[in-house]
Amino acid sequence: MARTRTRPDPEPRRPRTVLLVLLLAAVALISIDLTGAGSPARTVAGAALGPLESGANRLLSPFGVDAFATRDDLRDKNAQLEAENARLRGMVASSDVDRTRLAEYDALASYATSADIETVTAHVVGVGSAQTFRRTVTIDAGTTRGVRRDMTVIGPDGLVGRVISASPTNAVVLLLVDADSVVGARLGAEHELGMLRGDGSLSGTGRLQLEALDRTAVPKVGDTIVSWGSRDGVPYIAGVPIGRVEKVVESPRDETAAVTVAPYVDFSALDTVAVVVGERSGS
Amino acid sequence: MAARRAALVVGVLVAAVIVQVSVLAPLVPTAVVPDVVLVVVVAVGLCSGSTDGAWAGFVGGLLLDVAPPADHLLGRWALAMAIAGFLAGTVDRGSRPSWLSDAATIGATAFVGLSVFALTGLLLGEPGVTLAAALPVVGLAVVYDVVLGLAIVPAVRTLLARAEPAPRVRW
């Protein structure tokens, strides 16, 4: 053993005691946090480490390594979507039956540009890894810009998630796809109510599971899902597009249907998001 | 651990947290991200023994527990990484390091560390943690960590040697 050490220890140390003490300390921390007393530590750490994360992310972008999505990509996508939108609009307008749905699509399309809500624009600067089994991101806007807990976060495509904690310069957003995230939803033209749950998968295959409150109201594939909204817009404001019904598996025996929703937002390529800091005047 | 070395290790750990959360997480296409902090902790354990490894693991894990996108209970990474750092330190390093033993150590300790983290989540009933979901994630992460570790362990070894040059021993 002595031959293997290049540097003899000045005093004999007891690694096992050290480990035991550290493990007990960690267990103590866990139990302290279980009581809910750990949030000040997170706020302090957010204030100290958040700007570093923003800085590291800013350093990345001049090199063209805009990690989340390049502007050209977004522009292409935008043009593509506009074309598709125009095509859909033409298709829908030609059919009388679907005129109501056109109005809905119009509302959705104008949603992002509507001036009714006051938003703060922010960039995603940090992403929680899958090893932690939570789907959270850090954004570079905090309490100094009016971002607080339980505020709705939207992206150019639709609902992204909600703020779960905020430090002066940064905030943590719980994404819709998180397994613990539940959001009330309205589906289709009938405005049936339901609950959407994430499946914890961040990649393009991430889907949301819909649970309709009225079990007889089975949505159709292609129906649009928008957020239900709650009183005072906490934590989600109403009417934000969330996704499209992708698959409906009906179970005739107990009259229920497993509804899979494909979210509009590409959660693995989040870049610019907007935090809704002011209430919507309408609806 | 001398004060200077301790400060150096803490500095490296902070940098590792930032790199892991802000640089690698968005760059890597899969949601699983290389655990830079874990690899640094294992490297410290490999280079300076289990006491230092456990300490580095505790501090690094704590940083990861409080760094912004984290939302799990405080102390879970600290617990997992203290064990990983300690284990890495108990490996008989032999007179000269070989990349093969480094890779094996990183793989084994990363697996233990990630599993301990997942298990604490399971025990504490944290949302999203199931055994079925954990296994592929841990497997992929271990592969990433071994690849990353082969670059980081020599770097940490050089850094620690430079911070406190080992006295030359003449036999």
Side-chain angles (χ1 to χ4, degrees):
Chain A
M1 191 65 185
R3 276 175 63 88
T4 64
R5 293 214 178 227
T6 49
R7 187 170 44 83
D9 286 329
E11 67 209 55
R13 295 186 290 184
R14 299 197 196 97
R16 267 176 215 177
T17 321
V18 172
L19 179 69
L20 201 67
V21 168
L22 292 180
L23 293 189
L24 286 176
V27 171
L29 276 175
I30 293 175
S31 19
I32 289 172
D33 203 24
L34 270 174
T35 64
S39 47
R42 282 208 181 84
T43 313
V44 170
L49 293 170
L52 286 177
E53 287 182 13
S54 308
N57 196 257
R58 210 161 292 141
L59 278 178
L60 220 67
S61 33
F63 294 107
V65 199
D66 193 353
F68 303 98
T70 62
R71 200 148 296 176
D72 287 345
D73 274 353
L74 288 177
R75 204 168 284 149
D76 285 351
K77 208 172 176 183
N78 202 12
Q80 218 176 342
L81 286 173
E82 260 167 11
E84 198 190 40
N85 218 5
R87 193 177 59 82
L88 285 174
R89 216 167 281 185
M91 252 168 67
V92 170
S94 62
S95 139
D96 264 355
V97 186
D98 283 345
R99 195 143 286 172
T100 44
R101 200 169 287 170
L102 170 67
E104 207 166 40
Y105 276 125
D106 269 342
L108 294 185
S110 66
Y111 184 81
T113 49
S114 83
D116 288 349
I117 49 170
E118 203 182 320
T119 60
V120 165
T121 312
H123 289 268
V124 173
V125 297
V127 182
S129 65
Q131 286 96 313
T132 60
F133 303 102
R134 294 308 300 271
R135 295 295 169 265
T136 50
V137 294
T138 319
I139 58 172
D140 61 355
T143 49
T144 51
R145 288 171 65 192
V147 174
R148 284 187 313 277
R149 213 183 124 90
D150 282 341
M151 280 178 166
T152 309
V153 181
I154 57 178
D157 299 329
L159 192 62
V160 170
R162 65 186 158 95
V163 177
I164 51 172
S165 70
S167 69
T169 53
N170 294 76
V172 178
V173 177
L174 183 71
L175 301 180
L176 277 190
V177 286
D178 186 272
D180 193 34
S181 164
V182 177
V183 55
R186 281 180 199 281
L187 45 131
E190 286 89 37
H191 290 273
E192 285 293 340
L193 297 176
M195 289 295 182
L196 273 177
R197 272 165 229 280
D199 66 353
S201 166
L202 192 68
S203 60
T205 57
R207 292 292 179 265
L208 306 167
Q209 294 300 327
L210 183 88
E211 220 173 82
L213 290 191
D214 179 1
R215 291 189 184 279
T216 57
V218 178
K220 289 187 291 293
V221 171
D223 273 359
T224 304
I225 308 278
V226 300
S227 67
W228 178 354
S230 23
R231 212 162 66 92
D232 300 332
V234 174
Y236 294 108
I237 60 168
V240 190
I242 298 176
R244 182 181 290 131
V245 173
E246 191 188 53
K247 200 170 72 179
V248 179
V249 179
E250 284 190 67
S251 149
R253 193 160 58 88
D254 49 358
E255 291 187 330
T256 57
V259 181
T260 309
V261 176
Y264 289 132
V265 176
D266 183 0
F267 289 98
S268 58
L270 278 179
D271 184 17
T272 313
V273 296
V275 185
V276 181
V277 293
E279 275 178 52
R280 196 150 63 131
S281 47
S283 78
Chain B
M1 216 189 296
R4 211 175 132 209
R5 265 158 63 96
L8 189 74
V9 169
V10 171
V12 172
L13 286 172
V14 170
V17 170
I18 301 299
V19 168
Q20 178 173 334
V21 160
S22 270
V23 181
L24 282 182
L27 275 182
V28 178
T30 51
V32 180
V33 173
D35 301 275
V36 189
V37 182
L38 181 68
V39 171
V40 169
V41 165
V42 171
V44 171
L46 266 174
C47 302
S48 7
S50 40
T51 311
D52 290 3
W55 267 110
F58 186 75
V59 173
L62 210 56
L63 281 171
L64 209 53
D65 280 330
V66 294
D71 185 39
H72 52 267
L73 286 169
L74 268 182
R76 281 179 58 206
W77 270 128
L79 182 91
M81 292 216 191
I83 294 175
F86 176 85
L87 284 182
T90 57
V91 174
D92 186 359
R93 277 134 11 239
S95 47
R96 64 181 57 184
S98 86
W99 65 269
L100 197 68
S101 73
D102 282 356
T105 314
I106 298 160
T109 46
F111 178 77
V112 171
L114 292 168
S115 306
V116 167
F117 183 82
L119 283 176
T120 51
L122 214 58
L123 280 178
L124 293 164
E126 292 261 57
V129 192
T130 57
L131 216 54
L135 280 175
V137 167
V138 169
L140 184 58
V142 166
V143 174
Y144 276 161
D145 294 351
V146 169
V147 174
L148 186 73
L150 289 177
I152 284 189
V153 170
V156 169
R157 198 169 274 140
T158 320
L159 207 66
L160 288 179
R162 196 167 293 171
E164 194 174 296
R168 285 193 183 279
V169 181
R170 293 182 186 280
W171 310 110

